Amino acid sequence: SDYTNACALARSLVADLDPHRGIPSNEMDRLTPFEQYERVMADKDRLWCGNIAAIFTYACNALGIPCRSVGMRHQYYPLPEDGEGYEVLMAEGHSTTEIFSEALNAWVWMDLTFYIWGAYLGEEGPLNLAELYRYLNIPSRLGRLRIVTYDPATGVEATLPVLGSEKQKGLQNYLKQDQIFKYTRN
């Protein structure tokens, strides 16, 4: 299925890109996702979540799996209309992805940075990012959230509860209630 193929592509990209994680140079901003991939594979640069999401989105779309990147930012104060002053981002941001599963007729959230291939609320899912965001911020639902995790060291996928997992703190940090989402399709 498209989801199974996206998971296989995710595993392959994680194996390629993991050794190159870090802070990218400004040069990466000027490159297409494929050029970013080539640059890090040539050991000329580093990458982080934004690059990983762009590369995965580009690769999925090139292989016929509809995919979109989602940039997430916490509340910020933009420059005044006169252009004087500073733009202030109140906290760090994150970039992630969603693939469109034709078999499910739904968008499915996947995050290669966190090694997560999907999320479920009980048996319902896989969820899209907006659903995950909503349920992470409803305490009565948090206990029912589960994630499909991938361990690149062992190649094992496992479905685990979010509550009490090593992923909980990171997910709740990046998916706070004051989040702003920007969806793009490369």
Side-chain angles (χ1 to χ4, degrees), residues 21-39:
R21 288 182 185 230
I23 299 172
S25 71
N26 290 339
E27 179 67 25
M28 293 288 275
D29 292 338
R30 295 183 272 281
L31 303 175
T32 67
F34 184 69
E35 292 168 333
Q36 291 177 27
Y37 177 85
E38 287 181 320
R39 185 172 173 84

Side-chain angles (χ1 to χ4, degrees), residues 50 53-54 57 67-71 95-98 182-186:
T57 300
C67 187
R68 61 189 180 190
S69 297
V70 186
S95 294
T96 188
T97 58
E98 290 181 335
K182 181 181 178 185
Y183 289 80
T184 56
R185 187 159 174 208
N186 301 11

Side-chain angles (χ1 to χ4, degrees), residues 77-87:
Y77 297 97
L79 285 170
E81 286 185 30
D82 64 8
E84 296 294 321
Y86 298 93
E87 184 173 71

Side-chain angles (χ1 to χ4, degrees), residues 4-139:
T4 303
N5 290 338
C7 289
L9 178 58
R11 285 189 295 275
S12 178
L13 285 174
V14 163
D16 287 351
L17 300 176
D18 257 15
H20 307 284
R21 288 182 185 230
I23 299 172
S25 71
N26 290 339
E27 179 67 25
M28 293 288 275
D29 292 338
R30 295 183 272 281
L31 303 175
T32 67
F34 184 69
E35 292 168 333
Q36 291 177 27
Y37 177 85
E38 287 181 320
R39 185 172 173 84
V40 297
M41 294 309 291
D43 226 4
K44 294 180 180 176
D45 219 321
R46 306 312 252 168
L47 50 73
W48 55 14
C49 63
N51 309 105
I52 295 169
I55 291 167
F56 182 62
T57 300
Y58 186 82
C60 281
N61 284 315
L63 295 172
I65 303 167
C67 187
R68 61 189 180 190
S69 297
V70 186
M72 302 182 302
R73 300 287 179 264
H74 294 288
Q75 186 67 36
Y76 73 98
Y77 297 97
L79 285 170
E81 286 185 30
D82 64 8
E84 296 294 321
Y86 298 93
E87 184 173 71
V88 179
L89 182 64
M90 299 306 291
E92 70 276 5
H94 181 60
S95 294
T96 188
T97 58
E98 290 181 335
I99 64 128
F100 186 78
S101 169
E102 290 185 21
L104 299 170
N105 194 32
W107 288 97
V108 177
W109 171 70
M110 296 179 70
D111 193 308
L112 278 62
T113 301
F114 284 121
Y115 312 114
I116 299 175
W117 294 178
Y120 292 80
L121 181 66
E123 298 301 314
E124 180 184 329
L127 305 175
N128 63 43
L129 183 61
E131 293 166 327
L132 174 64
Y133 165 78
R134 179 173 178 236
Y135 298 142
L136 272 172
N137 289 291
I138 299 174

